[in-house]
Amino acid sequence: AVVSTQSTGASACDLLFKKCLPYAVETRKLHSRVEELETCEEQEVEAECTAAVHDSTLRLTEELAEAQRKIIALQEQVIQLKDEVRSVENSSIAQTVQRDLRSYSTVISQNCSVAMAPRKIQQAVRKATSEKPAEEVDRSCNLMVFGLPEESPNTKVEENVKRLLETLNEKPLITNCSRVGSVKEGKVRPVVVTLKSRETLLQLLRKAKELRASKTYCKVFLEPDRTPEQRSERKRTLQILSDLRKAHPGERFVIRGGAICV
């Protein structure tokens, strides 16, 4: 009886296993299918993200290129506006200078017309014919030094001048050196320095602006030795230059070759 019962139980288990086996196989297939679907979905999502990123990159690249084109166009407009402003400024300066020159020309013409009156000419001719012309002074190698402090009683003016010129890294041959004018308290007399050659004089005049950087000689100026007529003309030119700078503080006027230039 016991053997029969065990045999019956084994047969039931076999029958149950056979019936469940198809369901187990189908369940495994379903799991595999689900995994495949999940893998495909992940791949599709990744592909969509990649495409979206690619599209965004292209769009941003196009927007950046468009922005750069706009910047270049704006820069060209700014350059064009600067050129127009510079042209207007130059035209205004030229008109102002021409107007001022015409004004000064009128004043000079009026003064010259008075100075060249017949009676004035006759007096000048009589004076020139009655007096012997003074001997011309050779100033071609003379250097005028302005603002150089006066020497102590134990110091020679030539030593003072040599120290000044050494600041310009120059040691020229000096043939004569002396102060001009009488001693007055609180006044610094100019110094006339006679050099060996004209070339040396020109070299020192070219370097004269370097004295502005010197703490000791920043207020010392070097100029050529001019005749009284040249000094008078220089004074008038400087006065005109001063008037122009006051009338037009925003503009830059300089003297070149004895003429006022903008």
Side-chain angles (χ1 to χ4, degrees):
V2 173
V3 173
S4 177
T5 302
Q6 291 178 346
S7 177
T8 303
S11 299
C13 288
D14 291 339
L15 180 62
L16 179 62
F17 176 76
K18 289 179 180 180
K19 288 183 178 181
C20 291
L21 183 60
Y23 294 106
V25 173
E26 187 66 24
T27 301
R28 181 177 297 276
K29 289 181 180 180
L30 289 174
H31 278 296
S32 299
R33 182 59 179 167
V34 169
E35 290 177 356
E36 290 177 0
L37 290 174
E38 289 179 349
T39 303
C40 291
E41 186 177 358
E42 290 177 357
Q43 291 176 351
E44 290 177 357
V45 171
E46 183 178 356
E48 291 177 357
C49 291
T50 302
V53 170
H54 181 67
D55 294 340
S56 299
T57 303
L58 289 177
R59 185 174 63 257
L60 291 175
T61 302
E62 293 176 354
E63 292 178 356
L64 178 60
E66 181 64 22
Q68 289 176 344
R69 285 193 293 270
K70 290 181 179 180
I71 290 173
I72 293 173
L74 290 174
Q75 290 176 342
E76 292 176 350
Q77 293 179 6
V78 170
I79 293 173
Q80 183 178 359
L81 289 174
K82 286 183 177 179
D83 292 339
E84 292 177 357
V85 170
R86 190 178 295 109
S87 176
V88 172
E89 289 178 348
N90 292 339
S91 176
S92 177
I93 292 173
Q95 292 175 0
T96 302
V97 172
Q98 290 177 358
R99 184 178 63 253
D100 293 336
L101 289 178
R102 283 196 296 269
S103 301
Y104 285 113
S105 177
T106 302
V107 174
I108 292 173
S109 299
Q110 293 174 354
N111 293 336
C112 289
S113 62
V114 174
M116 295 303 293
R119 182 174 298 178
K120 296 284 186 179
I121 294 175
Q122 292 175 0
Q123 292 177 355
V125 171
R126 283 197 297 267
K127 183 177 181 180
T129 55
S130 61
E131 297 179 359
K132 294 182 179 180
E135 184 178 354
E136 289 291 335
V137 178
D138 184 13
R139 305 172 186 270
S140 61
C141 297
N142 286 357
L143 175 70
M144 295 299 299
V145 182
F146 297 93
L148 185 65
E150 295 276 347
E151 298 76 27
S152 61
N154 298 328
T155 306
K156 294 182 178 181
V157 62
E158 185 172 344
E159 296 176 359
N160 203 3
V161 171
K162 286 182 177 180
R163 283 195 295 269
L164 166 67
L165 298 181
E166 287 176 357
T167 306
L168 302 177
N169 295 322
E170 295 289 340
K171 295 182 178 181
L173 181 60
I174 298 175
T175 59
N176 190 26
C177 185
S178 60
R179 293 275 180 180
V180 179
S182 56
V183 179
K184 292 183 180 180
E185 186 177 357
K187 182 179 179 181
V188 178
R189 296 172 296 166
V191 181
V192 56
V193 183
T194 303
L195 302 168
K196 185 66 176 179
S197 66
R198 175 75 175 173
E199 288 75 16
T200 304
L201 171 65
L202 297 177
Q203 175 70 8
L204 293 175
L205 292 175
R206 282 192 291 268
K207 287 189 172 184
K209 60 184 179 181
E210 297 178 10
L211 292 175
R212 301 173 188 172
S214 171
K215 295 182 179 180
T216 306
Y217 301 110
C218 59
K219 295 183 179 180
V220 178
F221 301 93
L222 306 183
E223 292 187 5
D225 188 11
R226 298 183 176 91
T227 64
E229 292 78 9
Q230 290 173 337
R231 288 197 294 270
S232 179
E233 181 64 27
R234 174 79 173 177
K235 185 176 180 180
R236 285 196 296 269
T237 303
L238 291 175
Q239 182 60 47
I240 294 174
L241 178 64
S242 176
D243 294 341
L244 285 173
R245 287 176 174 174
K246 290 179 181 178
H248 309 284
E251 299 172 8
R252 184 172 179 266
F253 298 94
V254 295
I255 297 178
R256 291 178 182 172
I260 298 176
C261 304
V262 180

